[in-house]
């Protein structure tokens, strides 16, 4: 919400980029790549006079169009430029009207006429993802891998009337890794370096230094578009060639083959190492395929293919056959109404009840001393054949849970050794990001690097969602007794409590939270939240409803509350663990599975939580944690068709974008907790000591990085000066310093960029005429420390009166004595409605004001008092939906009505 402030201040600064030569550009193309090229060219000072892109698809604009429209750049969305090979005159005329000096074509799927290509003063440049003249034409990245090239790269070339034959302006290359796919190659090199190269190329042209190197025809190749119809694998070739063919078609269009008469698509090929389906080439060498997709769209791990259906049967030894017959007799004794226990006999369909399950388990354990068997095992293997298969594997020790393997980043601090997972947590395992990327997470106390963390990719999101989907529909979580689910969540809360000091220390160094606050609130309330919702697991139910009877028949109508399915949760950086708990505890208690993206700058407690969830016995795939960027991971979660609910806490602009993406993808259910500018009204009849203490807490709690922080205080005129004087007096006593020091009151801001925005916010307040009474500067010490700040004389029209700082900045306005309705109008004159407060000894006045404040939470003679049992959420542009309390469960449930006639 500080972008406006940033824009105001930017007008007063001049970057050295603006002294370079600049051009008027037309951007012709599409995609996220086109968007990034466009944005970076504008940052460099070039003027984009027009963007020419593809029409909206399913009501959703291309990313390039979205960015350009937001900036006010003219956008043209032509379905085509030519008809029957001839340019469309009105389209060409519209293009020429913008007066471009250079056409920049970062990625363009349309055919552009030569009178458009040649029209600008400097002509046109195009990006192509191969080292020309190799792999001209479409699917260039695919063919780079299919041919087993040792080097990949891209070319920026001058467009001519040939097909990718124009003179070269610039080329870059990189090594091809043995197990690269189209995605990894693109994400690691072609995308980021391609953006830089396009910007560099434009500047070379502007400076008159751009070369035109003719392409050689020696070694030139041209390949066509790869489609599903011509993507079948030829198995009669060496392993590396098969591997190259598969990875060259991963993910689109996908290499196909036939296994057991079924056409399957192969993904994730590598030259052995790990689990999967091993294929052999004609040279006797082996490769590994990780995933298979069937014609109906279902995708499974290739390693599991032969462990399903008849192929999964275990061949019993003679001794095991004898034990199986003894167990058959146990079944006969329990199922006395069944003439014979066949392999296909179903325990429950034969009339068995819960007490029979206990009897079966105990009799088998008595017969086979030492066997580990639980009632849940019977529910997971209900036929005799499945039960015996499960039993034999258990007897052999084949189905024992794999021990969780965690690579830790360790740190000696706060009188303990921190052990911090740093990888993505997908399907019960910690693993590197698919593209191998990592980033630094920073300690805001001194700006040092805590450790490197996996930077999840779109492919990681897809794998995590697939794991969550399988866990929901096929795994034990969905079939688990709700009370057992609650027991697991209680156990998870217990483990969090056992590790509370470690969690609080991680939270403190990763987010800057004062340790004592992290221990009590960040971690303490997270534990309370899981315990509260664990208790709800077996209390979720529908109701019966009387309806008109269809005489002479009778009807019974009742409702069921059911989990939604796979949920996505995107959380902010101010309370990393607590925001995780507020959303995921309700989500899990309702029976859903989840994929959670922590804030990029504060991933560590979420990953530690993932480790504890596995130790608590939460089944694989139920919880998945993906650190990384919102633009990539968050956007993919918003767009993913298999996610049915998304819960988000963050800024209002991002919330709007998420809501739009969720609507356009598959109409996901959404709950949003967004920005706020919470008013706090302090009347002259208040308890002054309490109003000063709580008023300061309302602003400076958690360094002001608090969604319900009092963004604006209205103080009655007769006590205004005294109130401000007492606040400043208390601020002077406040200790700013190391958050791990138990006597510290005020720690560092969460990250450097946020601190810079807060300083800009203060500059805007000063420029608009507000009075800076205290603070307003960065503290002169290492790290990202901001002085607690007080502004008075703030008028309603000012930027700081309307926009949230999300920092330790008290914004104070006077109101006339006795003007209750007037101050209410001013307090409600905001687009936000997250929280509010009032201090007065007059209970009638307190009730009058609380009824009229337009906010989701109203505090009376207190502030920041939240509880796990009380619903939390906002009105207006502060979002909708609730965290905490029974209301939060409803966000993660769907209601089904059932009518029976009898």
């Amino acid at each position: 919400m500080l972008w406006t402030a940033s824009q105001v201040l930017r007008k007063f600064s001049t970057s050295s980029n603006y002294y370079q030569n600049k051009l008027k550009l037309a951007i012709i193309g599409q995609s996220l790549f086109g968007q990034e090229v466009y944005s970076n060219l504008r940052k460099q000072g070039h003027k984009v006079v027009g963007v020419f892109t593809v029409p909206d698809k399913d009501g959703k604009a291309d990313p390039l169009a979205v960015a350009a429209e937001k900036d006010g750049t003219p956008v043209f969305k032509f379905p085509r430029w030519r008809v029957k090979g001839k340019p469309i005159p009105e389209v060409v005329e519209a293009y020429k009207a913008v007066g471009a000096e250079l056409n920049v074509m970062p990625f363009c799927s349309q055919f552009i006429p030569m009178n458009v290509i040649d029209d600008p003063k400097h002509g046109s440049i195009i990006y192509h993802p191969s080292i020309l003249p190799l792999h001209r034409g479409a699917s260039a990245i695919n063919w780079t891998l299919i041919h087993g090239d040792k080097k990949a790269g891209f070319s920026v070339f001058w467009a001519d009337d040939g097909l990718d034959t124009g003179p070269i302006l610039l080329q870059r290359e990189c090594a091809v890794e043995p197990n690269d796919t189209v995605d990894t190659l693109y994400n690691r090199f072609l995308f980021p370096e391609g953006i830089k190269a396009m910007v560099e190329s434009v500047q070379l042209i502007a400076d008159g230094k751009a070369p035109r190197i003719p392409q050689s025809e020696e070694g030139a190749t041209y390949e066509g578009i790869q489609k599903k119809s011509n993507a079948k694998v030829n198995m009669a070739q060496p392993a590396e060639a098969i591997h190259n063919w598969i990875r060259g078609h991963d993910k689109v269009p996908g290499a196909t083959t036939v296994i057991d008469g079924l056409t399957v698509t192969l993904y994730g090929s590598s030259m052995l190492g790990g689990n999967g389906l091993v294929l052999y080439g004609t040279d006797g060498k082996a490769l590994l395929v990780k995933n298979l997709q069937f014609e109906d769209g279902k995708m499974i791990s290739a390693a599991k293919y032969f462990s399903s259906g008849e192929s999964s049967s275990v061949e019993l030894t003679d001794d095991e056959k004898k034990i199986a017959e003894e167990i058959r007799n146990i079944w006969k004794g329990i199922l006395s109404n069944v003439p014979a226990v066949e392999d296909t006999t179903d325990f429950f369909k034969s009339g068995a009840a819960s007490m029979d399950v206990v009897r079966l388990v105990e009799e088998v354990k008595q017969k086979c001393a030492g066997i580990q068997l639980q009632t849940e095992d019977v529910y997971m293997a209900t036929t005799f054949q499945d039960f015996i298969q499960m039993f034999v594997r258990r007897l052999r020790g084949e189905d024992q849970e794999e021990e969780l393997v965690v690579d830790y980043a360790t740190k000696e601090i706060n009188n303990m050794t921190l052990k911090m997972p740093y990888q993505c947590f997908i399907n019960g395992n910690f693993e590197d990001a698919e593209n191998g990327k990592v980033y630094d997470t920073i300690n805001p106390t001194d700006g040092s690097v805590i450790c490197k963390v996996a930077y999840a990719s779109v492919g990681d999101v897809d794998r995590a969602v697939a794991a969550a989907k399988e866990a929901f529909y096929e795994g034990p979580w969905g079939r688990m007794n709700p009370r057992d689910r609650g027991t697991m969540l209680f156990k998870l809360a217990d483990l969090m409590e056992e590790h509370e000091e470690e969690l609080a220390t991680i939270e403190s160094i990763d987010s800057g939270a004062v340790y004592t606050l992290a221990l009590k609130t960040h971690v303490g309330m997270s534990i309370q939240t899981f315990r509260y919702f664990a208790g709800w697991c077996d209390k979720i139910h529908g109701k019966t409803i009387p309806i008109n009877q269809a005489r002479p028949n009778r009807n019974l109508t009742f409702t069921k509350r059911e989990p939604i399915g796979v949920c996505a949760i995107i959380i902010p950086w101010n309370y990393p663990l607590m925001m995780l708990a507020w959303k995921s505890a309700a989500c899990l208690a309702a029976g859903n599975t989840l994929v959670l993206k922590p804030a990029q700058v504060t991933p560590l407690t979420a990953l530690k939580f993932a480790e504890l969830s596995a130790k608590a016995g939460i089944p694989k795939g139920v919880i998945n944690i993906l650190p990384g960027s919102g633009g990539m991971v968050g956007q993919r979660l918003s767009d993913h068709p298999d996610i049915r609910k998304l819960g988000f806490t963050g800024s209002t602009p991002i919330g709007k974008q998420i809501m739009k993406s969720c609507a356009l993808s598959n109409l996901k259910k959404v709950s949003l907790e967004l920005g706020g500018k919470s008013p706090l009204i302090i009347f002259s009849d208040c308890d002054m000591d309490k109003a000063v203490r709580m008023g300061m807490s309302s602003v400076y709690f958690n360094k002001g990085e608090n969604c319900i922080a009092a963004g604006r205080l209205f103080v009655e005129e007769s006590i205004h000066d005294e109130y401000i004087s007492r606040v400043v007096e208390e601020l002077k006593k406040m200790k700013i310093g190391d958050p791990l020091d138990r006597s510290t009151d005020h720690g560092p801001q969460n990250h450097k960029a946020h601190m810079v925005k807060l300083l800009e916010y203060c500059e805007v307040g000063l420029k608009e005429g507000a009075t800076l009474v205290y603070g307003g500067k960065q503290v002169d010490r290492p790290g990202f420390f901001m002085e607690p700040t007080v502004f008075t004389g703030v008028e309603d029209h000012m930027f700081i009166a309307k926009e949230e700082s999300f920092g330790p900045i008290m914004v104070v306005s006077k109101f006339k004595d006795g003007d209750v309705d007037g101050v209410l109008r001013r307090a409600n004159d905001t687009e936000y409605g997250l929280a509010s407060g009032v201090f007065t000894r007059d209970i009638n006045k307190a009730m009058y004001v609380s009824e009229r404040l337009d906010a989701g939470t109203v505090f009376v003679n207190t502030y920041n008092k939240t509880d796990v049992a009380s619903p939390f959420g906002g009105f207006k542009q502060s979002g909708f939906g609730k965290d905490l309390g029974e209301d939060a469960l409803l966000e993660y449930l769907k209601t089904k009505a059932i009518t029976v006639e009898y």
Side-chain angles (χ1 to χ4, degrees):
M1 285 180 228
L2 294 177
W3 290 116
T4 309
S6 301
Q7 290 163 355
V8 169
L9 292 171
R10 234 175 259 133
K11 294 176 182 176
F12 300 103
S13 63
T14 306
S15 167
S16 60
N17 293 327
Y18 286 81
Y19 293 106
Q20 300 174 7
N21 299 310
K22 301 300 168 188
L23 296 175
K24 294 180 181 178
L25 307 175
I27 308 293
I28 304 176
Q30 63 210 74
S31 78
L32 185 60
F33 183 75
Q35 175 192 334
E36 289 295 320
V37 170
Y38 159 82
S39 298
N40 279 274
L41 286 169
R42 289 186 77 247
K43 287 178 183 176
Q44 292 298 312
H46 297 285
K47 182 175 178 58
V48 179
V49 293
V51 165
F52 299 85
T53 187
V54 293
D56 295 355
K57 185 175 181 181
D58 298 326
K60 188 172 183 179
D62 183 82
L64 173 57
V66 171
E69 287 168 344
K70 183 179 178 181
D71 294 332
T73 303
V75 177
F76 304 84
K77 301 177 182 180
F78 300 133
R80 60 187 66 83
W81 292 70
R82 306 185 304 178
V83 173
K84 296 182 179 178
K86 295 184 178 180
I88 303 172
E90 53 268 31
V91 172
V92 175
E93 185 179 339
Y95 158 77
K96 290 186 176 182
V98 302
E101 297 172 322
L102 173 69
N103 291 332
V104 179
M105 303 168 70
F107 171 73
C108 183
S109 62
Q110 297 177 312
F111 289 101
I112 310 301
M114 284 308 299
N115 58 339
V116 171
I117 295 289
D118 295 335
D119 182 71
K121 172 184 175 182
H122 296 289
S124 304
I125 59 170
I126 303 177
Y127 171 89
H128 186 77
S130 78
I131 307 170
L132 292 172
L134 279 175
H135 310 307
R136 292 170 176 167
S139 304
I141 312 175
N142 304 72
W143 287 107
T144 298
L145 295 171
I146 291 168
H147 284 287
D149 295 354
K150 300 304 179 185
K151 289 183 179 180
F154 57 80
S155 307
V156 180
F157 68 96
W158 299 91
D160 65 1
D161 58 358
L163 189 61
D164 303 334
T165 56
I168 301 297
L169 191 160
L170 180 152
Q171 287 185 323
R172 296 279 188 272
E173 62 181 42
C174 70
V176 177
E177 299 296 331
N179 295 321
D180 262 332
T181 64
V182 173
D183 280 354
T184 61
L185 202 52
Y186 184 72
N187 293 329
R188 186 180 78 246
F189 183 80
L190 300 176
F191 180 86
E193 294 303 318
I195 294 164
K196 295 176 188 175
M198 288 298 282
V199 174
E200 182 183 343
S201 297
V202 171
Q203 194 57 54
L204 286 170
I205 295 169
D207 294 339
K209 299 177 181 178
R212 290 176 178 262
I213 304 168
Q215 285 192 44
S216 169
E217 288 303 308
E218 184 178 346
T221 62
Y222 173 84
E223 296 96 356
I225 297 175
Q226 280 303 91
K227 300 177 181 177
K228 203 79 171 176
S229 57
N230 59 3
K232 187 175 180 180
V233 185
N234 173 17
M235 292 294 185
Q237 54 182 332
E240 187 173 358
I242 299 172
H243 167 59
N244 288 335
W245 183 267
I246 294 171
R247 67 181 179 141
H249 290 78
D250 191 338
K251 306 255 180 176
V252 178
T256 62
T257 190
V258 177
I259 300 177
D260 290 346
L262 293 175
T263 298
V264 295
T265 307
L266 310 174
Y267 295 111
S269 171
S270 62
M271 295 301 287
L272 278 187
N275 297 320
L277 179 66
V278 178
L279 303 178
Y280 288 90
T282 54
D283 54 357
K285 293 181 180 178
L287 63 134
L288 194 76
V289 175
K290 291 184 178 179
N291 299 308
L292 302 176
Q293 186 177 41
F294 297 95
E295 289 181 291
D296 61 3
K298 181 181 179 182
M299 183 179 286
I300 65 167
S301 167
K304 294 181 179 178
Y305 178 74
F306 292 105
S307 63
S308 60
E310 293 180 5
S311 309
S312 66
S313 296
V314 175
E315 192 68 36
L316 273 61
T317 66
D318 290 340
D319 288 341
E320 288 167 345
K321 288 177 181 178
K322 291 177 182 178
I323 297 172
E325 286 308 308
E326 291 178 9
I327 294 175
R328 192 188 298 270
N329 289 331
I330 294 173
W331 276 55
K332 286 179 182 177
I334 297 171
L335 305 177
S336 56
N337 59 318
V338 176
V341 174
E342 309 290 346
D343 285 353
T344 56
T345 299
D346 188 286
F347 194 65
F348 296 103
K349 290 180 181 178
S350 300
S354 57
M355 278 304 298
D356 298 316
V357 174
V358 176
R359 177 182 166 185
L360 174 60
V361 169
E362 293 306 315
E363 283 200 53
V364 172
K365 285 165 68 176
Q366 187 178 37
K367 182 71 68 175
C368 305
I371 188 75
Q372 295 296 315
L373 205 62
Q374 298 175 334
T375 56
E376 191 66 33
D377 297 321
V378 182
Y379 292 106
M380 296 297 293
T382 61
T383 67
F384 181 74
Q385 182 181 34
D386 289 344
F387 185 85
I388 291 299
Q389 291 288 312
M390 177 276 297
F391 172 83
V392 170
R393 287 195 180 93
R394 187 71 51 84
L395 202 60
R396 296 177 180 179
E398 291 178 2
D399 66 345
Q400 291 179 0
E401 280 291 320
E402 297 175 23
E403 185 177 347
L404 181 67
V405 177
V406 188
D407 287 335
Y408 294 109
T410 59
K411 192 175 185 69
E412 296 290 336
I413 194 169
N414 203 23
N415 298 317
M416 67 180 75
T417 302
L418 295 184
K419 298 172 71 175
M420 299 172 288
Y422 58 86
Q423 298 168 294
C424 300
F425 186 70
I426 301 174
N427 201 25
N429 298 304
F430 284 103
E431 52 190 75
D432 292 336
E434 186 178 67
N435 55 19
K437 280 191 175 183
V438 295
Y439 70 97
D440 295 335
T441 186
I442 304 297
N443 184 342
T445 302
D446 57 9
S448 63
V449 175
I450 302 170
C451 64
K452 293 189 179 296
V453 178
Y455 190 78
S457 68
V458 169
D460 295 314
V461 177
D462 292 344
R463 290 188 300 116
V465 173
K469 184 178 180 181
E470 182 177 358
F472 182 78
Y473 289 105
E474 307 295 336
W477 189 249
R479 297 192 291 272
M480 189 178 293
N481 184 303
R483 197 163 296 162
D484 294 337
R485 188 162 63 239
T487 300
M488 279 192 177
L489 294 183
F490 275 121
K491 184 176 180 181
L492 175 55
D494 291 343
L495 280 170
M496 291 170 70
E497 189 168 52
E498 286 178 28
H499 291 262
E500 63 181 347
E501 292 184 352
E502 184 179 18
L503 287 166
T505 304
I506 296 172
E507 192 90 334
S508 188
I509 65 171
D510 204 22
S511 76
V514 171
Y515 176 76
T516 49
L517 178 68
L519 193 62
K520 180 182 181 296
T521 301
H522 289 235
V523 178
M525 194 173 186
S526 300
I527 295 166
Q528 292 176 26
T529 303
F530 270 97
R531 285 187 174 141
Y532 174 80
F533 283 109
W536 266 107
C537 288
D538 60 355
K539 300 170 187 67
I540 299 169
H541 56 78
K543 55 187 177 182
T544 57
I545 304 170
I547 65 170
N548 288 338
Q549 306 293 338
R551 296 177 181 174
N553 298 314
R554 296 177 64 80
N555 299 98
L556 169 66
T557 294
F558 60 95
T559 60
K560 293 180 68 181
R561 291 283 173 81
E562 298 180 345
I564 292 173
V566 180
C567 299
I569 293 173
I570 303 174
I571 57 174
W573 42 258
N574 57 327
Y575 293 103
L577 185 63
M578 194 171 79
M579 291 296 100
L580 175 153
W582 280 22
K583 294 188 185 298
S584 62
C587 174
L588 294 168
N592 301 287
T593 59
L594 64 87
V595 180
L596 182 140
K597 192 201 88 65
Q600 184 172 341
V601 291
T602 53
L604 296 180
T605 44
L607 294 170
K608 189 67 181 179
F609 167 83
E611 177 193 354
L612 298 179
S613 73
K615 291 180 177 178
I618 305 290
K620 290 185 176 184
V622 173
I623 294 172
N624 303 272
I625 309 287
L626 298 177
S629 76
M632 186 181 296
V633 177
Q635 186 61 53
R636 179 55 180 158
L637 290 172
S638 302
D639 292 334
H640 204 292
D642 288 336
I643 290 173
R644 294 296 169 187
K645 160 70 200 278
L646 190 147
F648 170 75
T649 296
S651 73
T652 297
I654 298 300
K656 289 179 178 180
Q657 180 60 43
I658 284 174
M659 190 173 175
K660 182 178 180 181
S661 297
C662 288
L664 291 175
S665 54
N666 61 340
L667 213 61
K668 295 175 182 65
K669 186 176 182 178
V670 181
S671 56
L672 303 171
E673 196 254 277
L674 307 176
K677 187 68 175 175
S678 301
L680 174 58
I681 304 172
I682 300 174
F683 288 100
S684 59
D685 61 354
C686 68
D687 178 335
M688 180 63 82
D689 291 340
K690 189 174 186 181
V692 169
R693 187 176 71 254
M694 301 301 295
M696 291 179 65
S697 174
S698 76
V699 175
Y700 303 118
F701 189 80
N702 200 47
K703 312 152 309 170
E705 295 168 352
N706 187 17
C707 50
I708 58 172
R712 190 176 182 193
L713 274 65
F714 294 91
V715 182
E716 200 158 10
E717 192 169 26
S718 59
I719 64 165
H720 175 274
D721 293 351
E722 179 190 357
Y723 186 85
I724 297 301
S725 175
R726 291 186 59 173
V727 166
V728 171
E729 184 182 334
E730 292 301 317
L731 286 178
K732 290 176 180 177
K733 302 174 188 176
M734 190 177 282
K735 180 178 178 181
I736 302 172
D738 183 353
L740 292 177
D741 183 336
R742 306 310 193 260
S743 63
T744 294
D745 299 303
H746 189 81
Q749 302 309 135
N750 187 279
H751 51 282
K752 185 177 181 179
H754 181 55
M755 185 191 65
V756 171
K757 286 183 179 180
L758 293 176
L759 295 172
E760 292 177 351
Y761 187 92
C762 291
E763 287 188 44
V764 173
L766 282 169
K767 290 180 190 300
E768 290 188 323
T771 301
L772 178 62
V773 175
Y774 190 85
K777 301 188 293 295
Q778 182 178 355
V779 179
D780 185 17
R781 59 169 290 161
F784 313 138
F785 290 84
M786 170 87 181
E787 292 179 340
T789 299
V790 180
F791 276 103
T792 61
V794 178
E795 302 295 333
D796 293 353
H797 68 275
M798 292 181 179
F799 175 81
I800 65 173
K802 294 179 175 293
E803 294 298 328
E804 181 182 31
S805 71
F806 212 65
I809 302 173
M810 182 179 281
V811 176
V812 186
S813 300
K814 290 182 187 177
F815 69 95
K816 291 182 179 180
D817 290 348
D819 189 11
V820 177
D821 290 326
V823 74
L824 272 170
R825 280 193 297 273
R826 294 172 71 189
N828 286 328
D829 186 22
T830 173
E831 274 300 300
Y832 305 110
L834 190 56
S836 59
V838 55
F839 279 84
T840 176
R841 283 191 173 99
D842 185 339
I843 187 61
N844 293 320
K845 187 190 295 182
M847 295 306 295
Y848 180 87
V849 170
S850 64
E851 288 172 3
R852 286 161 178 78
L853 282 169
D854 194 12
T857 297
V858 181
F859 298 108
V860 178
N861 293 329
T862 186
Y863 209 89
N864 287 324
K865 178 56 182 172
T866 54
D867 188 88
V868 294
S870 177
F872 180 94
F875 301 158
K876 298 185 286 188
Q877 292 202 47
S878 289
F880 50 82
K882 298 294 182 184
D883 291 326
L884 304 181
E886 184 180 0
D887 290 44
L889 282 170
L890 303 181
E891 301 295 334
Y892 295 94
L893 292 166
K894 58 188 179 185
T895 302
K896 178 184 290 181
I898 300 172
T899 297
V900 181
E901 187 170 278
Y902 61 97

